[in-house]
Amino acid sequence: MVTPEQKARMTEKYLAWAESWGLSLGYAVTQSVEKAERAVADAVVALTLQDQVTSERFAGVLWEFADREAYRGFGSDLFFRMPAIARAAVVLKLKARFTRAQIASALKLSQRQLDSHLENARLLFSDGKSWTGATAGLEIEEDRWVPNCKRWSAEAPIPEVFSHYIGNDLDPDTGTRLHEHMADCDTCRTSFSYFKKQYLDWASSVPSVEPDNEFKKQVEQVTLTALKLKNRKGPSPWPGLLRVIDESQVRVLLASLAVFFILQMIFSKKL
């Protein structure tokens, strides 16, 4: 039995993920706020019944539901010219700040496929220029940039180190050493500020949706409804429901339940 405290924490997690990047992920894939909200509701129900309350799992389930109604056209917006899965990868990297390993797991991609999607997206944003070539303030010679820092230019390609550091992909040991190094090195600290600005400009270019109060209430209601379904004791009014939940028809059932509750709320407002 889920306690009231557990219910509150679970609902808080769902709302935090949905508000910060979940709704934007759904919108990036479907190009529809309505479809994005429906996908989030479906993901909340599925995640609650599966006992896997993690942000990575939430992203994976949300992607599965949103992909069914993915916008696959070629509009004037550069972002929406990319494949749906590339748009999902970009949102999870720039908005959710997932590591590449987390994104690959959530979207069921190989590391090579994911890196290709992210690199193509960044090149699209920078009009085909390399990471260093698109970074204002750096002195580029022969399409290469080598910082005036013997330690990092010799130890590792600093553009890669910077991009991984900003993108939450650098291993803890290297990250700590880089952080300590930049505290004492004006050259690397200044160069990093240029890279960070470019990264944040890229992040701000990604379409996002701000949730309203009605959406928050919807997520709370769907979560509570899913918990009630999960905690049901005794004979079920729907024969075989608990058996079906554990089988392959779960997605159809969960989607139907979510749509029912959403429509119910919509009609209640109109009355």
Side-chain angles (χ1 to χ4, degrees):
M1 176 68 67
V2 179
T3 66
E5 291 76 16
Q6 289 174 320
K7 290 181 182 179
R9 286 197 298 270
M10 190 179 298
T11 305
E12 185 179 352
K13 280 185 178 181
Y14 290 145
L15 282 171
W17 295 333
E19 289 179 27
S20 58
W21 53 265
L23 190 58
S24 295
L25 172 59
Y27 177 75
V29 175
T30 65
Q31 204 179 29
S32 166
V33 174
E34 181 181 353
K35 291 179 180 179
E37 291 181 347
R38 185 163 63 245
V40 169
D42 290 345
V44 166
V45 175
L47 201 64
T48 301
L49 297 178
Q50 294 179 14
D51 278 331
Q52 295 177 323
V53 186
T54 67
S55 59
E56 183 179 327
R57 183 59 184 152
F58 183 79
V61 175
L62 177 53
W63 157 250
E64 291 176 7
F65 282 111
D67 184 45
R68 299 174 188 176
E69 300 184 85
Y71 173 77
R72 307 181 190 281
F74 295 87
S76 58
D77 191 311
L78 292 178
F79 180 78
F80 287 103
R81 291 183 185 179
M82 296 188 295
I85 195 162
R87 302 196 298 267
V90 170
V91 172
L92 291 177
K93 168 51 66 183
L94 300 181
K95 298 296 184 183
R97 291 187 56 78
F98 278 17
T99 64
R100 289 180 297 166
Q102 287 177 311
I103 299 173
S105 174
L107 302 183
K108 295 181 173 59
L109 293 171
S110 68
Q111 194 70 60
R112 185 174 181 178
Q113 288 173 317
L114 174 62
D115 288 343
S116 177
H117 284 310
L118 291 176
E119 178 62 11
N120 288 339
R122 194 199 57 73
L123 288 172
L124 189 64
F125 168 73
S126 62
D127 197 25
K129 296 179 181 179
S130 66
W131 182 273
T132 53
T135 303
L138 299 180
E139 296 182 4
I140 309 297
E141 295 182 5
E142 297 180 359
D143 199 32
R144 294 180 67 254
W145 172 65
V146 179
N148 185 25
C149 176
K150 294 181 179 179
R151 174 180 175 181
W152 284 99
S153 60
E155 185 170 328
I158 200 163
E160 182 178 336
V161 172
F162 277 171
S163 63
H164 286 182
Y165 183 63
I166 298 171
N168 195 33
D169 283 312
L170 207 59
D171 66 89
D173 180 60
T174 305
T176 299
R177 289 189 294 114
L178 177 62
H179 184 75
E180 294 174 348
H181 172 70
M182 286 195 296
D184 298 323
C185 180
D186 291 338
T187 299
C188 285
R189 187 167 59 250
T190 301
S191 300
F192 176 75
S193 68
Y194 292 135
F195 276 87
K196 185 175 182 180
K197 181 181 183 305
Q198 184 198 23
Y199 194 91
L200 294 178
D201 286 346
W202 182 24
S204 64
S205 73
V206 177
S208 60
V209 179
E210 294 293 331
D212 55 23
N213 289 330
E214 289 302 317
F215 172 74
K216 296 176 184 179
K217 292 178 182 177
Q218 175 185 329
V219 172
E220 291 176 349
Q221 184 60 47
V222 169
T223 304
L224 294 176
T225 302
L227 285 169
K228 289 178 181 178
L229 182 63
K230 177 181 178 181
N231 295 330
R232 188 180 304 281
K233 299 296 183 180
S236 171
W238 298 303
L241 176 61
L242 298 181
R243 177 183 57 78
V244 172
I245 286 176
D246 293 327
E247 297 178 357
S248 61
Q249 298 175 3
V250 61
R251 292 175 182 171
V252 175
L253 173 64
L254 297 178
S256 300
L257 284 171
V259 170
F260 169 77
F261 290 121
I262 294 171
L263 291 176
Q264 189 179 48
M265 285 186 285
I266 293 174
F267 287 133
S268 65
K269 293 178 185 178
K270 294 182 178 180
L271 295 179

